[in-house]
Amino acid sequence: MADADLDYLVVGAGPAGLQVAQLLHAGGYDYEVVEESGMPGAFFARYPRHRQLISVNKRYTGSSDPEFNLRSDWNSLLSDRPELRFTRYTESYFPFAGDMLRYLSDFAERQGLRIRFNRRITRVARAGDGFEAWDSTGGTYRARRVVIATGVSRPNIPEIPGVELAEHYTTVSVDPKDFIDQRVLIIGKGNSAFETAGNLLETAAVVHVAGPNPVRLAWQSHYLGHLRAINNNFIDTSQLKIQNAIVDARILGIEKQAEGYRVRFKFTRATMEHCYDRVIVCTGFRFDTSVFEDECRPQLAANDRFPELTGAYESVNVPGMYFAGTLTQQLDFKEGTNGFIHGFRYGARALSRILEQRYHNGTWPYDELPSEPRELTAALIERINRSSGLFQQFGVLADLLEVSGTGPVRHYQEVPFGYLHDPAFGEAENTFAVSLEYGPDHERTDPFKPSLSASVLGEGHIDAFLHPVIRHYRRGELAETLHLPDDLENEWRRPDVHIRPLEAFFTRTIAAARAVRQ
């Protein structure tokens, strides 16, 4: 007999597991969280190795609106308790990992979450329509559904002959004095690679950061997993030729020598060798599927690094197995914020609403807005200028509007794009999706080169920077799209370029929808 018979088994007590647990707890559902370590958020006890986070902790925004302020608070989990805002835990703009550990511990304790610590889930199998799981202490669990929130725990090792000879980001020394006057090769071009390189600037003789693809910068791509400015001091030393370099080449092999390593590189036009005292692999992590039995092993995507999901955060091949946190980033891989707290906290809330709809006869929370175009426009202008969920989950979440006859408009907040047309919302003939998005090819736009906005260039031009997008669907098919211009301070309130065009759009589309019904 199982030690616990649950509605939900949540695996992992990191930020995502805590957020899901808090939402299940608030809903009164039967759940337990199982965590292999002795504390919430144990990832942050070890990572990042050099202890400084790259998530923004902006305490002063000029606003007292807690919803708006979450736009600049990338660390807080969602709750209705003001004391559990991360901004109260440190004044540092880029906080340290220890601050996050304190915060997550307090969040779990003060929310009264049901967590079993020091138990590692070692096996997950199908049991009828649900699941059975076993932990490292011999405990067993039966659950109708599981939510996997373990994060990515398995090192992502590139296929390079001899790579097993190298050191790894997870275990290499973080004491710069251990690298005095040494030649160091770092494999990888993400934040962990440049975090490691930056730590060695004062002591290493030479540092090369290498990989087959060019460095991508977050301030241009708007994907926060690309290189952040806080980690790019190394680029100066490379471009100014201070004995360091960024190497755009494929590594053909690593060989151990009597003193150090010999590494072969394949450049576009040549093959070359360089020698190093140390080689460090910093190429990220991937999802570990080893605990899943064959009949419930989730299918993978994104180079087999993440589970492949439906628009409802459910495994595409294992019904009833859901995912939360950084494991959901296959849905916006290398484009959005599902890999980060300030993104996946809203994904976890959307997941909780999906579960309530599917299994507990619940409805997605909604309010009613006036159907008269001017009043509807005014309400939505306020919404897009205040919402943190639409702002942080750009292109992933949208507010759904259902228009039926002359009655009020149903307004559902923060619905995943992949779930907009789910039958759970009924069969309204005319619906609208309101979101914030970057424009096409935004990652190729030079952010330091002046460019004209749609407010100047006129109708038909789509801005590259973040801006409101409104889509009209008729019977589930896209009928028309309106892109409003971007704004320097993300204040989409200008009468001439934001308010009047949106009102005109609603006047035309709603009138046409009503004419069809008649």
Side-chain angles (χ1 to χ4, degrees):
M1 179 178 293
D3 297 328
D5 192 352
L6 307 164
D7 283 335
Y8 299 98
L9 173 64
V10 181
V11 184
L18 297 184
Q19 186 69 86
V20 170
Q22 183 268 334
L23 293 161
L24 294 175
H25 194 85
Y29 301 120
D30 186 20
Y31 77 94
E32 277 193 1
V33 182
V34 179
E35 164 60 37
E36 68 174 343
S37 75
M39 69 182 80
F43 174 91
F44 295 98
R46 188 172 185 185
Y47 303 110
R49 294 296 313 284
H50 303 90
R51 310 312 291 146
Q52 188 169 44
L53 304 180
I54 58 176
S55 48
V56 168
N57 178 55
K58 194 172 191 299
R59 303 174 71 224
Y60 304 107
T61 66
S63 172
S64 59
D65 182 354
E67 171 67 16
F68 177 85
N69 288 340
L70 281 170
R71 292 183 171 191
S72 304
D73 173 358
W74 291 9
N75 301 286
S76 291
L77 298 180
L78 302 177
S79 80
D80 57 1
R81 302 183 64 168
E83 73 273 17
L84 290 177
R85 285 293 175 93
F86 185 87
T87 50
R88 298 183 177 221
Y89 279 71
T90 176
E91 296 182 358
S92 298
Y93 190 81
F94 290 111
F96 287 87
D99 300 322
M100 180 60 74
L101 281 171
R102 288 191 300 111
Y103 171 73
L104 295 176
S105 178
D106 285 352
F107 188 92
E109 180 179 353
R110 295 179 190 178
Q111 295 283 357
L113 304 182
R114 297 192 287 273
I115 306 174
R116 296 194 187 195
F117 290 107
N118 296 309
R119 294 169 180 247
R120 180 172 57 87
I121 293 295
T122 58
R123 181 182 166 210
V124 178
R126 270 291 187 193
D129 293 334
F131 300 88
E132 190 165 10
W134 292 260
D135 71 27
S136 54
T137 70
T140 60
Y141 310 82
R142 291 182 68 91
R144 281 161 279 287
R145 289 157 290 277
V146 296
V147 180
I148 308 298
T150 56
V152 283
S153 57
R154 180 181 169 192
N156 181 48
I157 305 298
E159 294 183 0
I160 300 172
V163 72
E164 70 280 359
L165 302 172
E167 298 174 88
H168 195 272
Y169 173 77
T170 59
T171 54
V172 69
S173 171
V174 294
D175 185 352
K177 293 180 180 179
D178 290 341
F179 297 83
I180 289 176
D181 215 27
Q182 293 184 348
R183 294 174 56 85
V184 182
L185 171 65
I186 298 173
I187 301 173
K189 289 182 176 176
N191 283 293
S192 63
F194 281 91
E195 168 200 338
T196 302
N199 188 51
L200 304 181
L201 289 178
E202 296 179 354
T203 57
V206 172
V207 179
H208 288 172
V209 175
N213 301 311
V215 173
R216 299 196 65 187
L217 301 168
W219 47 254
Q220 183 165 25
S221 70
H222 305 114
Y223 170 62
L224 303 177
H226 290 148
L227 181 59
R228 298 286 305 285
I230 190 175
N231 284 327
N232 74 8
N233 283 341
F234 180 85
I235 293 179
D236 265 10
T237 72
S238 172
Q239 295 302 305
L240 300 177
K241 302 301 179 185
I242 311 175
Q243 290 191 282
N244 298 325
I246 297 172
V247 181
D248 291 334
R250 184 163 59 91
I251 299 174
L252 299 179
I254 302 169
E255 297 178 11
K256 190 78 172 69
Q257 297 182 307
E259 295 184 2
Y261 301 84
R262 181 171 64 186
V263 181
R264 289 181 295 120
F265 295 92
K266 176 69 169 94
F267 294 86
T268 303
R269 298 177 181 273
T271 300
M272 300 179 65
E273 293 184 352
H274 291 272
C275 293
Y276 302 95
D277 298 296
R278 311 280 285 269
V279 178
I280 307 169
V281 178
C282 300
T283 48
F285 298 86
R286 63 173 58 238
F287 178 46
D288 184 359
T289 63
S290 62
V291 302
F292 299 99
E293 295 292 303
D294 289 343
E295 74 275 7
C296 68
R297 180 169 289 118
Q299 185 172 309
L300 301 180
N303 299 318
D304 290 340
R305 290 184 66 184
F306 301 98
E308 185 172 2
L309 307 180
T310 70
Y313 307 99
E314 186 177 23
S315 168
V316 296
N317 67 308
V318 187
M321 180 177 289
Y322 293 87
F323 291 84
T326 192
L327 291 176
T328 64
Q329 63 184 286
Q330 176 265 329
L331 296 171
D332 59 352
F333 186 56
K334 292 191 175 181
E335 292 182 354
T337 60
N338 270 320
F340 312 92
I341 291 175
H342 67 291
F344 66 61
R345 62 191 178 194
Y346 302 100
R349 183 161 66 187
L351 170 59
S352 73
R353 291 169 174 172
I354 290 169
L355 297 175
E356 188 170 349
Q357 276 187 325
R358 288 185 169 184
Y359 306 114
H360 306 287
N361 298 316
T363 59
W364 199 285
Y366 69 89
D367 56 354
E368 292 187 340
L369 303 178
S371 61
E372 194 278 322
R374 177 170 296 181
E375 295 180 16
L376 179 60
T377 296
L380 290 176
I381 287 292
E382 287 304 309
R383 168 69 180 159
I384 61 178
N385 280 286
R386 179 174 182 259
S387 167
S388 63
L390 298 183
F391 188 89
Q392 301 288 28
Q393 286 267 268
F394 51 86
V396 173
L397 299 181
D399 281 8
L400 173 64
L401 308 178
E402 287 186 348
V403 178
S404 301
T406 60
V409 174
R410 278 197 175 188
H411 173 220
Y412 302 90
Q413 295 185 7
E414 298 169 15
V415 181
F417 262 101
Y419 195 67
L420 281 175
H421 305 297
D422 192 270
F425 291 106
E427 298 180 357
E429 186 166 327
N430 288 278
T431 58
F432 295 82
V434 181
S435 60
L436 296 173
E437 301 176 28
Y438 288 92
D441 300 325
H442 65 92
E443 71 279 4
R444 288 191 282 275
T445 301
D446 185 347
F448 302 117
K449 181 180 179 181
S451 61
L452 294 177
S453 165
S455 61
V456 176
L457 296 176
E459 188 174 350
H461 177 78
I462 300 175
D463 283 335
F465 200 66
L466 193 70
H467 63 275
V469 182
I470 298 87
R471 293 178 174 86
H472 174 211
Y473 298 91
R474 186 176 294 116
R475 292 184 291 276
E477 297 294 326
L478 181 62
E480 190 173 355
T481 302
L482 173 68
H483 289 264
L484 297 176
D486 64 16
D487 182 82
L488 176 66
E489 297 192 43
N490 298 322
E491 284 280 342
W492 302 287
R493 299 179 185 275
R494 290 171 56 185
D496 54 335
V497 298
H498 298 125
I499 297 175
R500 283 198 285 272
L502 181 56
E503 183 181 339
F505 178 80
F506 281 132
T507 299
R508 182 180 67 257
T509 54
I510 292 177
R514 287 171 176 167
V516 170
R517 288 179 61 88
Q518 293 172 355

